[in-house]
Amino acid sequence: MKRVALLGATGSIGRQAIEIVVAHPELELCAAASGSTPLDDVAAPLKQVGGDLTELLERAQPDVVLNAVVGFAGVHATLWALEHGVDLALANKESLVAAGELALAARLRGGGRILPVDSEHSALFQCLEGREPEQVDTLVLTGSGGPFRGRRREELETVGPEQALAHPTWRMGPKITIDSATLANKGLEVIEAHFLFGVPYDRIEVVIQPTSIVHSLVRFRDGAALAHLGYPDMRVPISYALTYPQRAETPLRPLDLASLALEFAEPDTETFPMLSLARSAGEEGGGAPCVYNAANEVAVGAFLAGRLPFLAIPDVVHETLETVGSGSVRDLDELLTLDRQARACAEGALTAAAGGRG
Ligand code: NAD
Ligand code: MG
């Protein structure tokens, strides 16, 4: 029996995770948490709406923590699992982006494992298994390009939440769906890949693959490129992470190869600056990824609330990165302070950015 603590149980990943746990008799939920949504229909011995996630984890003593919380709020649970040597099935990419160095240090001390749930990173993890680091040339993250792929900037001046929420290939929570429309999601994923696999930024590529069938690739030094293929269905990486290393049987339809045509394209970083901003924040290191993430969370919240135009999201993040810089993040307290400082600065930048564009 593997005892799973599911954080973010009422979300898109959380719901699909419950489906996987129910389908696998060797998995059981020992705890479930949400931010504010009631957990009435979730069957778990320990349940918690809001409050301190690490307190719940202390009580539950799980074998694996599935962190499917959205945003920086997941950081305490990520660090708890790594510090305690408990397997971390990680959907909450924001925590690894913001707390990358701290998370790696906690993993080193605690001996925990990170099992990526993000589909691209699950793909990379599987392509990399059993290889030596020196054999790896580059990681290639794929992305669908989001709902606005192929659009020019001037066509995006008036797009609102409804259009941005219409993702072409994945059904996900609102925050990550907006991130997919701005390419911030791919930016966060570049930083996530850097911390997960220890590969420098100049050896992490991004390519657009509009149907999300190719989940990512690894190029090796001998010229071979290994890819991971499948329909876009998060139950596959969730199941992989929760049943690792068993790769337990999951009843999903097999890939119909004859019906596929695979196309690839370069990402349009001029129309979608969030990808390049993430890369430079990652390369700057220190607290810069935390600042990028915090500013993005504020900007996305404002966009969803109708307070910020779509094209102003990167302006807010750029302005915040310029003003706050990379800060110091030697411990969790410093990280929390930097996150708060970046959020306050981004709130200030909202007014200017929204006003500047009318
Ligand atoms: P969602 O908005 O559907 O669900 C978020 C969940 O987090 C909800 O259960 C909510 O109650 C909970 N939550 C929010 N704040 C909380 C807090 N302070 N404490 C405890 N719980 C809190 O989001 P989602 O789409 O399921 O995404 C969750 C995470 O997984 C995100 O980090 C996202 O980037 C990542 N992810 C999602 C997908 C996907 O297909 N949905 C794919 C890859 C990665
Ligand atoms: Mg992803």
Side-chain angles (χ1 to χ4, degrees), residues 31 56 80 146-147 151 155 158 161 193 217 221 250 261 285 302 320 323 335 344:
L56 178 73
W80 185 94
R151 304 270 197 103
E155 295 175 274
T158 57
L217 310 84
R221 64 181 175 191
T250 303
T320 308
T323 310
L335 185 75

Side-chain angles (χ1 to χ4, degrees), residues 24-259:
H24 293 304
E26 68 277 22
L27 298 175
E28 80 179 355
L29 269 194
C30 64
S34 73
S36 54
T37 322
L39 291 163
D40 300 334
D41 58 339
V42 177
L46 291 172
K47 297 199 269 192
Q48 182 175 298
V49 178
D52 184 344
L53 293 171
T54 60
E55 240 172 65
L56 178 73
L57 294 172
E58 285 292 344
R59 275 189 289 144
Q61 293 295 319
D63 299 311
V64 52
V65 175
L66 173 44
N67 189 351
V69 170
V70 60
F72 185 76
V75 74
H76 303 90
T78 285
L79 294 175
W80 185 94
L82 295 172
E83 201 74 65
H84 287 77
V86 173
D87 277 357
L88 173 64
L90 184 67
N92 177 244
K93 66 190 88 184
E94 295 93 340
S95 59
L96 188 61
V97 167
E101 306 283 349
L102 293 180
L104 296 189
R107 179 173 70 174
L108 208 59
R109 284 191 300 270
R113 272 192 301 204
I114 310 180
L115 303 164
V117 170
D118 212 350
S119 59
E120 296 78 2
H121 305 74
S122 176
L124 292 170
F125 184 86
Q126 293 175 55
C127 293
L128 286 166
E129 253 200 307
R131 328 280 166 189
E132 297 303 327
E134 65 270 17
Q135 301 170 354
V136 175
D137 178 30
T138 45
L139 308 180
V140 187
L141 286 162
T142 54
S144 70
F148 302 140
R149 180 178 59 85
R151 304 270 197 103
R152 286 170 291 120
R153 279 185 75 78
E154 50 275 26
E155 295 175 274
L156 298 177
E157 262 159 23
T158 57
V159 294
E162 203 176 307
Q163 291 135 297
L165 285 170
H167 196 277
T169 56
W170 298 97
R171 294 286 154 267
M172 311 178 286
K175 193 266 177 177
I176 184 176
T177 306
I178 301 306
D179 285 349
S180 303
T182 61
L183 293 200
N185 184 50
K186 221 38 66 181
L188 293 169
E189 290 184 352
V190 166
I191 302 174
E192 182 186 13
H194 168 77
F195 286 121
L196 277 174
F197 305 115
V199 172
Y201 287 101
D202 60 359
R203 294 201 283 121
I204 305 175
E205 297 172 39
V206 171
V207 70
I208 301 302
Q209 199 276 299
T211 54
S212 304
I213 296 292
V214 181
H215 296 144
S216 278
L217 310 84
V218 178
R219 298 182 195 272
F220 290 92
R221 64 181 175 191
D222 61 356
L226 298 194
H228 181 291
L229 275 65
Y231 290 116
D233 188 326
M234 288 308 293
R235 291 172 301 176
V236 178
I238 294 169
S239 173
Y240 185 82
L242 290 183
T243 71
Y244 182 82
Q246 256 70 49
R247 198 187 276 280
E249 189 173 345
T250 303
L252 296 172
R253 91 190 140 115
L255 198 59
D256 177 9
L257 289 165
S259 73

